[in-house]
Amino acid sequence: MRALFLLTLLFWHGSARADLIEQCLAAPASQTLSLTVDNALIALRSQSGKRTLVVGGDRVPLPPRSQAPIVRYNSALGGALILQDMQGDERYRLRFDPLTSAGARQLSPQGARVAAPLVDPANRSVIFSSTAGQGPIWGVLAHDLEAAGPRVVFQEGGAWQPMATSADGRRLVLQQVFGLYDRVIYILDQKTSIKTPLYFGQRPVAIRAAAISPDGQRVYVATALVRGGGRILVADVHAGSATVLHRADWPLYDIKLSGDGSRLFALENRDGVSWLVAFDMQGQGVAPKEIPLEAWATDLAVSADGQVAALTLSQLGQPPRSVLLKEDTGFAPPTPANRPSACGPISVARADITRSKPVGGLETLPVKVLRPANLSGPFPVVLAFHGGPEGQWVETSQLNYTALANTLGAAIVMPNLVGSTGYGLLYSAADDGAARTAVPGDVSLVLDYIAGDPTLDETRIVAMGASYGGYLAMLSLAQNPDRIQAAISQVGISHIPSFLSETPLTRRGLRRNEYGDEREDKIMKVLDALSPLTLAQAIKGPILLIHGRNDARVLVGQATRMKARLDALGKEVRYLELPESGHVLRDYETQLRVLREKAAFLEKQFGP
């Protein structure tokens, strides 16, 4: 009888776990695309992997051919711009699709890679970066929507991207990318083909976004500073140099100007939470409004008259939602419906771990801890590392981690280790090249923090992450075999030198700026010594490796070579290869399968 009871309990628990995971991932979400001419919201709604376009109050079902990510919809265009992934999140093609009728066509050259598409304000053409094949040189093309094919706007050595165009389409703001946070801005006169540099300060300058005045005379940029903080700078296209419009204590990461130039909006990153900064450009000396959003905001769009802004807001435990912010309510976000989280109740706490000495100008190590709200500890711990390395744990939905926390009764510890963004360029660059040796010290600090928190169980820790986060999960297991029980690596790097040599030429220079050049003996030795493949002998606990076969950023060989090495050493490893996936899991069924796989692995490690 007891055996039957235990079997029934086990079946109920497994079913409840599966139901919560599916319920969480299937929750309806929406993403802001743009605004209609009468200031109604255009959004993309998704649920259980199915997408619907919402224009004002009308829903437009998407044909199967247009289930790929939509980057822009405009009623004046009569359709949608779609970036279709053709090779593991590295090769995209740009398509225009009227959605409700035939006539979809490709805008980008055959076989080219495409990035940063934008539509000119008059809706006459689409401007985008493009490079053929594996080459490192990105040119800027435009496809006039009534033309048969694209035309070259600008072509020169290096990586170039369009950022904004003037209302008449004559002036184009270009950025030349030397590194993730090292960019130079130019204004291109498309009529004369004259390119003029705009000076926004001594390099490196972390320019995150740009906007141009309707008359094409002024360029506004949002920046992050070396030691934290941000600026909004404005440059006269004739003078070339910039002045400061706004000083912020935190980095700024997006900026938009209304079509009539009356209002300017910017997004500020305050320790992973977004604030909206709104400027009345017609009121001399009027201080901007600073509006707390209590969420992470993306996809900023602004109406032509500046009276409406639209955003996608992501809050912990809730799916992303599209919102309208209106002038008559002070651009305050609408109060979200008071509904329980589809992933279960979750609480978040922030901590700052004190360092013995500053690293990258930061005296503390920022950490977020998620805990199931209705349970008490001590909790087993998922030590979650973000990707990048140029990334940050911000106030996003975190549906996967919320589901795992409530499914397993576990805490999720999310550190922003040295190299993370959001705390100044000095901090994000403090792990570059040979300085990556500083990262294991930060991991040790986090493990000490876990050991000192009575609500966390230091004897049950599993490291986990994707991409660079997967690399850190494997590295931390190898370097802390008696403190970390197991690891989950999704599309993770197992050997940094071979990762760099395998990286497509379009990204290799940017990655070498971050990790160092593996062709130099000194750097090679450091990176090899910090690679999980090299340290595999030290690993004691089991590893779950998950990798997309079509991944073109971190090639699948990073996983297969790690598995072969662990097998040869007699270590415990489970390998899940996803034949239809790349670096990012875009398919709903695959997302669901992977999250269930992780939950089962974690449950086995944590035990009852």
Side-chain angles (χ1 to χ4, degrees):
M1 190 72 175
R2 176 176 172 79
L4 179 61
F5 170 77
L6 290 175
L7 185 62
T8 302
L9 183 64
L10 181 63
F11 175 79
W12 177 87
H13 182 264
S15 299
R17 179 186 69 198
D19 288 346
L20 179 61
I21 288 175
E22 184 167 2
Q23 172 183 301
C24 183
L25 290 192
S30 60
Q31 175 194 352
T32 297
L33 294 178
S34 55
L35 293 163
T36 65
V37 292
D38 56 355
N39 295 349
L41 184 65
I42 302 175
L44 190 65
R45 187 179 187 275
S46 61
Q47 184 172 14
S48 301
K50 294 184 173 66
R51 297 181 176 92
T52 303
L53 189 67
V54 180
V55 182
D58 299 326
R59 293 191 177 188
V60 181
L62 297 179
R65 66 174 186 263
S66 298
Q67 287 293 316
I70 292 178
V71 295
R72 175 82 181 250
Y73 177 86
N74 193 304
S75 53
L77 288 175
L81 291 177
I82 297 173
L83 266 183
Q84 185 173 8
D85 178 23
M86 302 301 294
Q87 182 190 353
D89 305 292
E90 275 302 302
R91 186 188 295 275
Y92 293 89
R93 69 179 181 185
L94 185 63
R95 296 171 55 236
F96 175 78
D97 195 328
L99 300 181
T100 57
S101 63
R105 65 187 188 275
Q106 185 168 325
L107 303 181
S108 54
Q110 191 67 32
R113 295 165 182 264
V114 171
L118 62 89
V119 179
D120 76 12
N123 297 306
R124 293 172 301 212
S125 62
V126 181
I127 305 167
F128 53 93
S129 294
S130 181
T131 185
Q134 300 284 335
I137 297 176
W138 290 81
V140 178
L141 306 182
H143 197 304
D144 301 321
L145 293 177
E146 295 180 356
R151 56 183 170 86
V152 176
V153 174
F154 179 79
Q155 183 97 36
E156 194 174 293
W160 296 82
Q161 290 183 352
M163 300 186 77
T165 61
S166 59
D168 61 4
R170 175 170 175 171
R171 289 191 170 94
L172 176 65
V173 181
L174 295 174
Q175 64 173 340
Q176 186 176 15
V177 182
F178 295 95
L180 195 65
Y181 296 108
D182 184 8
R183 306 181 179 208
V184 175
I185 302 297
Y186 294 84
I187 192 83
L188 176 69
D189 188 319
Q190 295 194 68
K191 186 175 182 179
T192 64
S193 298
I194 295 175
K195 173 172 62 73
T196 305
L198 301 179
Y199 183 73
F200 290 102
Q202 185 175 357
R203 290 178 55 199
V205 180
I207 296 173
R208 306 299 306 277
I212 189 170
S213 61
D215 60 7
Q217 300 300 310
R218 293 172 303 283
V219 174
Y220 302 84
V221 298
T223 71
L225 300 181
V226 171
R227 294 186 177 274
R231 299 284 186 270
I232 294 178
L233 305 174
V234 54
D236 183 282
V237 299
H238 300 292
S241 58
T243 57
V244 177
L245 175 67
H246 176 69
R247 290 179 168 85
D249 293 333
W250 293 89
L252 295 144
Y253 66 95
D254 199 2
I255 191 168
K256 291 289 190 299
L257 185 66
S258 62
D260 62 5
S262 63
R263 289 194 181 275
L264 183 74
F265 296 84
L267 290 172
E268 186 178 339
N269 173 6
R270 299 192 183 184
D271 197 15
V273 179
S274 300
W275 283 59
L276 181 69
V277 186
F279 298 82
D280 182 352
M281 304 303 286
Q282 298 173 332
Q284 295 294 326
V286 177
K289 291 183 179 179
E290 298 185 358
I291 302 125
L293 299 176
E294 299 180 0
W296 183 250
T298 55
D299 307 315
L300 175 61
V302 179
S303 65
D305 58 11
Q307 295 183 14
V308 175
L311 294 164
T312 302
L313 294 184
S314 298
Q315 293 174 296
L316 184 65
Q318 298 288 354
R321 61 191 178 103
S322 300
V323 299
L324 285 177
L325 313 180
K326 300 182 179 181
E327 183 183 39
D328 56 10
T329 59
F331 298 109
T335 303
N338 187 18
R339 62 183 187 276
S341 168
C343 308
I346 196 79
S347 68
V348 59
R350 289 177 172 81
D352 291 298
I353 303 172
T354 302
R355 290 186 163 100
S356 58
K357 61 180 181 180
V359 174
L362 211 61
E363 296 180 350
T364 59
L365 197 167
V367 176
K368 291 173 62 175
V369 183
L370 312 185
R371 295 178 177 88
N374 293 340
L375 299 175
S376 58
F379 299 103
V381 175
V382 175
L383 176 53
F385 298 111
H386 65 67
E390 312 94 333
Q392 180 190 8
W393 287 123
V394 297
E395 192 71 16
T396 52
S397 300
Q398 305 293 359
L399 298 183
N400 286 5
Y401 283 115
T402 304
L404 290 176
N406 280 301
T407 295
L408 302 165
I412 316 293
V413 175
M414 312 169 85
N416 283 313
L417 305 179
V418 58
S420 300
T421 56
Y423 305 98
L425 301 189
L426 198 61
Y427 189 67
S428 62
D431 68 335
D432 290 357
R436 198 156 306 277
T437 53
V439 174
D442 268 12
V443 174
S444 294
L445 284 177
V446 177
L447 293 174
D448 291 342
Y449 167 80
I450 294 171
D453 187 326
T455 70
L456 304 176
D457 185 351
E458 66 170 316
T459 67
R460 293 187 292 168
I461 302 174
V462 175
M464 177 173 163
S467 194
Y468 179 74
Y471 156 77
L472 286 179
M474 292 187 288
L475 178 68
S476 299
L477 179 64
Q479 293 184 326
N480 303 275
D482 296 321
R483 304 186 75 178
I484 297 178
Q485 187 177 354
I488 300 174
S489 170
Q490 181 176 321
V491 296
I493 302 165
S494 64
H495 188 248
I496 299 178
S498 61
F499 157 72
L500 292 171
S501 64
E502 295 167 350
T503 295
L505 286 173
T506 48
R507 303 182 73 245
R508 193 177 301 167
L510 294 177
R511 293 301 78 204
R512 282 176 173 158
N513 287 344
E514 169 65 37
Y515 292 97
D517 193 332
E518 81 286 2
R519 295 169 298 182
E520 299 175 11
D521 288 344
K522 178 183 176 182
I523 297 296
M524 175 67 176
K525 290 178 181 178
V526 171
L527 298 182
D528 183 68
L530 286 172
S531 292
L533 190 69
T534 305
L535 301 172
Q537 179 66 60
I539 291 174
K540 293 182 179 179
I543 290 184
L544 171 60
L545 299 173
I546 302 170
H547 218 104
R549 186 180 299 168
N550 301 322
D551 192 340
R553 294 189 188 182
V554 180
L555 299 189
V556 70
Q558 293 288 318
T560 56
R561 289 192 291 269
M562 187 68 184
K563 180 185 184 301
R565 176 67 172 151
L566 293 170
D567 283 340
L569 292 169
K571 309 291 184 178
E572 184 179 347
V573 58
R574 171 163 169 70
Y575 177 50
L576 176 62
E577 186 171 301
L578 307 170
E580 302 299 326
S581 295
H583 195 66
V584 179
L585 306 183
R586 302 192 184 279
D587 176 69
Y588 168 74
E589 294 298 332
T590 304
Q591 293 172 1
L592 189 59
R593 176 189 177 192
V594 167
L595 189 56
R596 285 172 170 164
E597 188 83 27
K598 291 176 180 178
F601 180 85
L602 289 166
E603 186 175 48
K604 181 179 179 181
Q605 308 312 314
F606 291 152

